[in-house]
Amino acid sequence: MTDSTAPRPRLRVLAAMSGGVDSAVAAARAVEDGHDVTGVHLALSANPQSFRTGARGCCTVEDSRDARRAADVIGIPFYVWDLAERFREDVVDDFVAEYEAGRTPNPCLRCNEKIKFAALLDKALALGFDAVCTGHYATVVTGADGHRELHRASDEAKDQSYVLGVLDERQLAHALFPLGDTLTTKDEIRAEAERRGLAVARKPDSHDICFIADGDTQGFLAKHLGTAEGDILDEDGRKLGTHEGAYGFTVGQRKGLRIGHPAADGKPRYVLDISPVDNTVTVGPAEALDVVALTAIRPRWCGTVPVGPGRYTAQFRAHGGETPVTAEAAGGELTVRFDEPVRGVAPGQAVVLYDGTRVVGSATIATTRRAERVSG
């Protein structure tokens, strides 16, 4: 197996520069590796006039200026590409529609799939570039069979391979992740940025959902979907309270339920199901969240499509742990069975399969099967 630290030919590289420290250092390292690098900032908002607040948000006017200053210091050409309409259609509108349907989407995966490694990469290749470089913490290697593979970052504490699990082999063939091979802490990345004279060295990382800069997801959804009072029910269908929109809840949620009636056993209750059809939210005990299997749709494979059932580990959120599973792809669907029940798994989320450190692929969870509970 050949890793991505092996010598490579000089490439024409388009470096996606968000205005943050990671992408700036990644672009600088690509130059240092001998590539012909051009920086580009993606304008993803139709009206990016508001500035970043603390560590929230990205892709603002401030960010584009920070990216331009970093490119000037690195000594590379720099452009701003307007992908706001594509981002709204493929990421923001999809996010709203998924919540409206009672599902829990991950917009970062959708952005990587539809924007950074579809719209951006396609445009880059059309302009004669060989690869797109980003500041993600992940590793691309070439296997013994010559196929490109996506692996976890060398430092698993910073690993971002989960949100890249939507990339196919063609996209991986044109992807560079200069930060993925280094066992450096974030403080060391910032120190490197300072040594390089990059003003973004101390800029806060962005968190939460980039197009919801104030972090108020429920308020954002209410603005787009309006309010509609519905019932909060227990497992037996008894009304416990009301809400202003089922989209404001996620499976596994405990806080903010505003239920006036305590459970008979005194234990906390969690969101078990969200029904957009009748605008109801069902709550119950934690053990009712145990999931033993799932069916996922729209699988995307980071290489060869697996044949037959296989043993893998699965991850369900960007910074979640792994769980052992048996998975099989057939008829455009992925069936996953867990060795042990797992909580916090909901339709709309992405399941990403791993074989050791290698990312096998990902799919969107459509349905889950709960564990049978023994009544007592």
Side-chain angles (χ1 to χ4, degrees), residues 12 14 40 79 81 120-130:
R12 287 195 67 207
L14 188 68
V40 62
Y79 301 91
W81 286 0
L120 175 62
L121 178 58
D122 289 347
K123 188 172 182 179
L125 294 177
L127 291 173
F129 288 94
D130 302 303

Side-chain angles (χ1 to χ4, degrees), residues 251 272-273 287-297 311 314 316 323-328 333-349 351 353 364-372:
V251 171
L272 304 181
D273 290 293
E287 57 267 25
L289 289 169
D290 288 344
V291 171
V292 295
L294 63 82
T295 299
I297 57 175
R311 292 289 296 166
F316 302 101
T323 186
V325 301
T326 299
E328 182 174 10
E333 292 186 344
L334 178 69
T335 301
V336 181
R337 297 178 178 83
F338 311 143
D339 288 12
E340 299 290 340
V342 175
R343 292 178 182 173
V345 179
Q349 290 178 320
V351 52
L353 298 180
T364 302
I365 299 172
T367 60
T368 60
R369 179 158 61 86
R370 298 267 170 83
E372 293 185 7

Side-chain angles (χ1 to χ4, degrees), residues 51-58 62-63 202-207 213:
F51 282 70
R52 168 192 302 270
T53 302
R56 296 188 186 277
C58 70
E62 178 188 19
D63 292 310
R202 296 300 165 186
K203 185 175 180 178
D205 292 332
S206 60
H207 296 289

Side-chain angles (χ1 to χ4, degrees), residues 8 14 41 59 113 139-140 186 188 191 204 240 244 277 346 362:
R8 291 180 178 179
L14 188 68
H41 178 80
C59 307
E113 176 188 355
T139 307
V140 177
K186 191 56 179 275
E188 289 169 330
L240 303 178
E244 295 182 344
V277 175
S362 70

Side-chain angles (χ1 to χ4, degrees), residues 143-283:
D145 58 1
H147 292 290
R148 300 277 276 176
E149 298 175 354
L150 176 65
H151 285 251
R152 289 192 183 277
S154 297
D155 183 356
E156 293 196 8
K158 297 198 298 293
D159 174 60
Q160 293 177 304
S161 61
Y162 174 86
V163 297
L164 297 171
V166 291
L167 304 187
D168 61 27
E169 188 176 8
R170 183 191 73 88
Q171 293 167 327
L172 291 175
H174 299 284
L176 291 180
F177 305 122
L179 306 187
D181 283 325
T182 54
L183 286 168
T184 51
T185 66
K186 191 56 179 275
D187 286 342
E188 289 169 330
I189 291 292
R190 293 189 181 283
E192 179 179 339
E194 284 195 339
R195 290 195 302 271
R196 294 179 182 276
L198 299 171
V200 293
R202 296 300 165 186
K203 185 175 180 178
D205 292 332
S206 60
H207 296 289
D208 303 307
I209 300 169
C210 70
F211 52 86
I212 307 179
D214 61 3
D216 183 8
T217 300
Q218 189 165 351
F220 175 86
L221 291 170
K223 179 180 177 181
H224 284 76
L225 298 175
T227 58
E229 185 174 295
D231 294 335
I232 299 176
L233 311 174
D234 66 13
E235 292 180 281
D236 296 320
R238 289 188 292 264
K239 181 177 176 179
L240 303 178
T242 61
H243 60 77
E244 295 182 344
Y247 56 76
F249 298 84
T250 57
V251 171
Q253 178 179 335
R254 174 186 173 184
K255 297 182 178 179
L257 301 183
R258 301 186 300 277
I259 300 173
H261 308 282
D265 58 10
K267 295 180 179 180
R269 282 173 287 198
Y270 300 77
V271 174
L272 304 181
D273 290 293
I274 302 163
S275 176
V277 175
D278 55 10
N279 196 29
T280 60
V281 174
T282 302
V283 300

Side-chain angles (χ1 to χ4, degrees), residues 2-13 26 29-36 130-134 138-143 147-150 171-181:
T2 303
D3 68 23
S4 55
T5 62
R8 291 180 178 179
R10 177 181 172 87
L11 303 175
R12 287 195 67 207
V13 174
R29 288 187 178 184
V31 171
E32 204 168 64
D33 287 341
H35 299 307
D36 178 8
D130 302 303
V132 165
C133 160
T134 75
T139 307
V140 177
V141 304
T142 302
H147 292 290
R148 300 277 276 176
E149 298 175 354
L150 176 65
Q171 293 167 327
L172 291 175
H174 299 284
L176 291 180
F177 305 122
L179 306 187
D181 283 325

Side-chain angles (χ1 to χ4, degrees), residues 17 41 63-73 78-80:
M17 302 181 69
H41 178 80
D63 292 310
S64 66
R65 291 171 180 166
D66 287 342
R68 183 179 296 278
R69 283 191 287 265
D72 288 343
V73 171
F78 178 82
Y79 301 91
V80 176

